[in-house]
Amino acid sequence: MKVDGKLNVWGTAEVVEEALHHEKAGYDGLWASESKHDPFLPLLLAAEHTDRLEVGTAIAVAFARSPMQLAYTAHDLQAYSGGRFTLGLGSQIKPHIERRFSMPWSRPAARMREYVCALRAIWAAWNEGEKLDFRGDFYSHTLMAPFFSPPPAPAGAPKVYVAAVGEAMTRVAGEVADGLLAHGFTTERYLREVTLPTVEAGLEKSGRTRSDFSISHLLLTATGRTEEELARAVDGTRRQIAFYGSTPAYRGVLELHGWGELGDELHALSKSSREDKWAEMGRLVDDEVLHAFAVVAEPDRVAAEIRRRYGALVDRVSFYAAYEIDAEVWEPVVRELRGE
């Protein structure tokens, strides 16, 4: 099982330090997300100062950009990193695409399928010299003069992962992507009963098998070296589960477990004006729900629990810690998961 870290700093010196730390600690990859900063720029620094560490986005917002714009960025990062870049894409949600990015929103799963196919057509034009003639329902790319065509990337096109929770987007990932980024609000049961069968249906449609595909899971993990640390970790994790559980788009995960009413309660509380609503929402997440979504264990048991629950389901894992904890706590977990 590969283990990836999450980039949480953005200053030049801090990014370099984090990248060097992750490579030395044995991590396989380092992912940057798109929230308050551009996700691509720090990855250039991370790739420059490491030798083997894979770098990628988890996620970059696809629909905030045209496929051509993103194709250039990903192609350059793939070349600069010597083939160590992975493009992780997410759809975001309608209000953000329309009101924050001022871009069109419609049929997100169908749009994502076409988006990835457009990227591959553009990269094929640059890397294999194929004529660019992509015509779809959402995007059309039919012009590529030599002046605008970059040299081929020596390692070829980057891998593309798609973030998905719902079945429609998960099927798209299986059809057109190289991997799936499983959301932190995902249980072992949901992966086994919903995600994997849906991915395999998509893979079958594209003439591929599970061995051609990678599943990466951002796994909620609560740990601590003392009772106080573990209690703080559990409290933070309950609140994070409650935050995601209040989002109607993720209700299907709760419904699979028979917890649909919990989603209704969390959603109603999230819309209330109560000052203590986030703490109260966390208290609604009982131990059964907590342990379904998160690995909760002392540091020396975390790796074994991840292997037991997810070893047959996912290929890569990242630790989702919704609380403050020393980075050194994860290092022996990384080594054990990687079999060192």
Side-chain angles (χ1 to χ4, degrees), residues 98-154:
E98 292 186 338
R99 294 166 51 197
R100 182 156 68 99
F101 292 107
S102 189
M103 295 292 280
W105 173 273
S106 63
R107 299 166 55 203
R111 184 180 286 269
M112 183 65 78
R113 178 189 289 105
E114 189 173 298
Y115 199 106
V116 176
C117 291
L119 287 172
R120 297 203 189 281
I122 295 166
W123 289 330
W126 297 341
N127 291 325
E128 284 88 49
E130 295 186 10
K131 179 179 173 57
L132 181 58
D133 187 22
F134 183 85
R135 303 169 192 268
D137 296 328
F138 307 100
Y139 304 102
S140 178
H141 301 281
T142 60
L143 176 63
M144 183 51 59
F147 184 81
F148 299 106
S149 183

Side-chain angles (χ1 to χ4, degrees), residues 4 36 39 83 104 107 111 134 138 147 153 160 164 174-175 194-195 232 235 259 296 316:
D4 302 309
K36 298 179 181 178
R107 299 166 55 203
R111 184 180 286 269
F134 183 85
F138 307 100
F147 184 81
V160 179
E175 288 179 17
V194 178
T195 303
R232 186 167 61 247
D235 182 62
W259 298 330
V296 182
R316 312 181 73 110

Side-chain angles (χ1 to χ4, degrees), residues 23-247:
E23 183 161 77
K24 183 178 179 181
Y27 285 84
D28 294 282
L30 184 62
W31 302 92
S33 62
E34 183 162 25
S35 53
K36 298 179 181 178
H37 300 274
D38 180 274
F40 299 103
L41 294 177
L43 296 180
L44 180 60
L45 285 169
E48 178 186 8
H49 291 273
T50 56
D51 297 314
R52 63 159 191 85
L53 193 70
E54 300 171 39
V55 296
T57 53
I59 52 88
V61 180
F63 303 155
R65 307 166 174 88
S66 79
M68 182 62 72
Q69 176 190 7
L70 195 49
Y72 277 114
T73 302
H75 179 88
D76 286 348
L77 273 170
Q78 176 74 336
Y80 292 151
S81 66
R84 291 183 284 141
F85 176 68
T86 296
L87 178 61
L89 298 175
S91 62
Q92 246 299 343
I93 58 176
K94 182 178 180 179
H96 284 270
I97 298 302
E98 292 186 338
R99 294 166 51 197
R100 182 156 68 99
F101 292 107
S102 189
M103 295 292 280
W105 173 273
S106 63
R107 299 166 55 203
R111 184 180 286 269
M112 183 65 78
R113 178 189 289 105
E114 189 173 298
Y115 199 106
V116 176
C117 291
L119 287 172
R120 297 203 189 281
I122 295 166
W123 289 330
W126 297 341
N127 291 325
E128 284 88 49
E130 295 186 10
K131 179 179 173 57
L132 181 58
D133 187 22
F134 183 85
R135 303 169 192 268
D137 296 328
F138 307 100
Y139 304 102
S140 178
H141 301 281
T142 60
L143 176 63
M144 183 51 59
F147 184 81
F148 299 106
S149 183
K159 292 181 179 179
V160 179
Y161 285 27
V162 169
V165 178
E167 293 183 57
M169 193 67 78
T170 301
R171 186 175 294 106
V172 165
E175 288 179 17
V176 300
D178 300 293
L180 176 134
L181 295 168
H183 197 282
F185 194 71
T186 302
T187 65
E188 175 189 354
R189 180 181 172 188
Y190 192 85
L191 279 169
R192 190 183 305 278
E193 297 182 14
V194 178
T195 303
L196 279 175
T198 307
V199 162
E200 287 169 358
L203 288 169
E204 183 178 1
K205 186 174 180 179
S206 65
R208 297 182 297 164
T209 66
R210 179 67 176 83
S211 62
D212 301 314
F213 194 82
S214 178
I215 294 179
S216 174
H217 187 18
L218 181 60
L219 177 59
L220 282 161
T221 312
T223 192
R225 294 161 295 191
T226 65
E227 289 186 10
E228 182 181 4
E229 280 189 355
L230 185 56
R232 186 167 61 247
V234 166
D235 182 62
T237 304
R238 289 187 199 274
R239 293 192 185 203
Q240 195 63 45
I241 293 169
F243 169 74
Y244 286 132
S246 70
T247 305

